[in-house]
Amino acid sequence: MIDTTASIDLSQLEPVLTKYNGRRREALLPLLHEAQAIYGWLPGAVQEAIGKTLRVPLADIHGVVEFYSMFYSEPTARRVIRVCEDPACSLANAQGVMAAIEAKLGIHHGETSADGLVTLEHVPCLGMCELAPVALDGERPFGHLTPNTIDDFLNGTHPEAAAQPYGEPMWTLARVGKVDPGSLDDYQTHGGYQALAKAVAMGPDALIELADKSGILGRGGAMFPLGRKWFFTRGAAGKPSQKHIVVNADESEPGTFKDRCLLEEDPFAVVEATTVAALAVGAENGWIFVRGEYPRAVSRLREAVRQARDAGYLGRNILGQEGFNFDIEVRVGAGAYICGEETALFEAIEGKRGFPRIKPPFPTTHGLFGQPTSINNVETLVAVLSVLTQGLEAWQAIGTAKSPGSKLFCLSGHVAKPGVYEIPFGKTIRELIEMAGGVPGGKAIQAVLMGGAAGAFVKPDELDMPLTYEDARSRNIPLGSGVVMVFDETADLRQTLYELSRFFAHESCGKCFPCQLGSQRQMEIWDRIAHNGGAKATDKQVLLDVGFTMTETSLCGLGQTAASAVLTALQRWPELAE
Amino acid sequence: MSETVTLKIDGREVTVPKGTTILDAAAQIGIEIPVICYHPHLTANGLCRICSVDAGFRTQLAACVTACADGMDIQTRSEDVVRGRRTILEMLNSTITLDEAPEILELVEEYDADTGRFAEGKRRESPVYDDNPFYIRDYNQCINCWRCVQVCADDAQFTYALSFDGRGFETRIGTFQGYGMTDTTCVFCGQCVGACPTGALKPKRQALLEQGIDPDEIFYQTRRGRKKRSEEAGG
């Protein structure tokens, strides 16, 4: 056991506090991360010292530490093993892997080993579904685990997981797996920073027009037109020093791993694309907010920002353009899906609990620090590089009239070749699954989860839907963050619905009543149906009422979609709750 | 003259200054929309969603935080609105004790909420904190309306003694490191007790009176508590 009564040596914290001296609350999450890297957890005395340095009330620090699941106010080992048990990993025997690790270490979820050296947790989706089942050992990601490979995993000799890009055309994924993610030179050799040069030559107005004509809609799932978002932010009152580009790299939607693929394998593209956005909007402040469960992406991105700054791609008068000033700070989340909601993400950067704000006002006028902000998903911005590189004509020549160009999809579950697929809009779900080698073992498809945990289930007879925005809208089947998770005939959908419900219950922020209470009740009912006595006659109506209430009355997009998978499943297979 | 907007609420036309909430506009024409977390003197956060109304949009709108817009056609008591309110009340009732929240119990009655519907659901339990001479905190009755946290912070007192433990269903009002109130920045101004809409925060003397303890005894007890503390501080 870790000795909780041992006095905490604050002298180790001093250099960090000195570095942050003069900073305010916005520095709270970075400072908590640095303090936790020293102590493994956040003892009260450490939190007090941080509060004094940043002048944040202690109660507020407590609230923040309590909110984020990767901050620990109880003694925790420096080495935390996090095992994913969400749907894609669950289909690949994550429970067996977890049980083998528990047996080997002699500890269970939430416990720390007797020698104080390792803490074990099962955690929500780690965003590596193509490599299922997966786990993080400290900062190292591992995939394709089996109960038999646990020894290799625990002693670090299991091969580290890497992204799997597939598809045609390879535009947005052009460099993934081909470029050295740690080298600006190599990035430039592979065409890097040519798009920014083109963008500078075009100027902001033409750039926004290009974004409009490209038809790119927000690819985090909300599908807001990119060009309009840039236009509104550019037009909002405020100087460039008071405007922000925020890159939403808090990719946490179960089944989604496309942004991780870009962040890890082509980090310079994310930096370049963010700079293009800054030019379009006229913003001097850039932020890339990466989920805490993507440590490899964070370190590669930070290195890319450093090299880009050294080379003059960030800083003052970029590419020799007088007045083109822009820099980027990489921020790291701490275990909260809700921070993928744009306003909750702002709150996290501002050093608060990740509670979503009431909208309106919208971020384009009142975003980060209450200032005009364009917040964009990683893939959305990198797709702009594809348009700039390929040219608008080539971009519009593929896809459909209303959904031009290409899009990334995340194939996982029961497919032969799971991974990130780039395809032109318009291919059908079935064609995409066939590209991924179909279902292994010749089994039949039972269901496909489209769009993510907040998405919709479809049946085998719905797979001829073309993957376009217009078809998604007319059939009420969201493309969301591009999730296509396949369940074969052997899958237990009740178990999957329990896991999805458990995810939302764990990730509800607790702000509004319908989601805070409804996500819990929804999970409890599926827990009983899947594991503990089966369905009761009243369950279906209760699930419909809870789902309706969350969907209709929740404050933010999380609660409004927390019942989406359940409701679409009940439409198609009412017998699941009977 | 300031800008105005005109809209319909339950079929009746009303013109209000731009920026007026749906809640206030409805009140102007005598239509009462129920509220739980809302307090007219505090920042509205749209938490309880019991004031949700139907304007034919993608989702319902929380009347306490949504500004009226020209041409809105709002139903404050449609079948969908009632369904949402009833379900929220059923879930709330299954989570915490509403015995000392008469206004919420009236809504439970009015919306015909089935109080046994989630009988097997987990309750949000909490110890009762009797850690200071002034008030008792019984979070088994707390609905998470945030009023106490708000008045303790920027809405009134700027004392910042309160925040939250946990998140989601497990969210509770908490203090730094779980300290008792006398070890926090609390100045015992009493505003949180005054703002609490349930029995979660209660003056200690009231709690003792309710237990049937004689007023003289209560006076003696609470005074003695204070005197003892000052003796300890002196000694």
Side-chain angles (χ1 to χ4, degrees), chain A residues 264-346:
Chain A
E264 288 186 348
E265 301 300 332
D266 201 6
F268 286 98
V270 180
V271 174
E272 183 184 1
T274 309
T275 313
V276 169
L279 179 69
V281 163
E284 290 190 357
N285 312 291
W287 309 79
I288 304 177
F289 187 93
V290 190
R291 68 182 300 203
E293 295 87 343
Y294 282 181
R296 192 161 60 182
V298 169
S299 58
R300 289 184 181 174
L301 206 49
R302 285 195 163 140
E303 176 60 17
V305 166
R306 192 189 64 74
Q307 289 186 29
R309 191 180 294 133
D310 286 351
Y313 286 120
L314 292 171
R316 303 193 68 76
N317 303 323
I318 295 166
L319 293 186
Q321 293 292 300
E322 190 69 29
F324 182 12
N325 307 326
F326 182 65
D327 211 331
I328 295 173
E329 182 172 339
V330 176
R331 283 296 181 103
V332 185
Y337 166 73
I338 183 58
C339 290
E341 198 281 340
E342 54 190 13
T343 60
L345 191 156
F346 300 151

Side-chain angles (χ1 to χ4, degrees), chain B residues 188-199:
Chain B
F188 302 96
C189 67
Q191 303 219 49
C192 57
V193 181
C196 179
T198 71

Side-chain angles (χ1 to χ4, degrees), chain A residues 58-59 62-63 66-67 335 353 358 506-509 512-514 516 521 524 528 544-545 549 552-553, chain B residues 45-47 49 58 60 80 83 87 94-95 117 120-122 124 143 163-168 175-177:
Chain A
L58 295 185
H62 173 80
E66 285 277 310
F67 187 84
R353 287 168 71 90
I358 290 161
H506 187 262
E507 298 302 330
S508 169
C509 78
C512 76
F513 290 17
Q516 170 204 123
R521 294 293 175 251
E524 288 168 353
R528 176 169 43 71
L544 292 176
D545 284 345
T549 303
E552 278 281 323
T553 69
Chain B
N45 288 308
L47 306 177
R49 317 304 281 184
R58 186 175 56 85
Q60 295 181 19
D80 282 354
R83 184 182 183 193
T87 309
S94 66
T95 301
R117 198 170 194 199
E120 64 178 334
K122 182 178 184 182
R124 187 160 55 218
I143 58 171
S163 180
F164 305 95
D165 295 339
R167 101 180 160 199
T175 59
F176 180 67
Q177 298 283 298

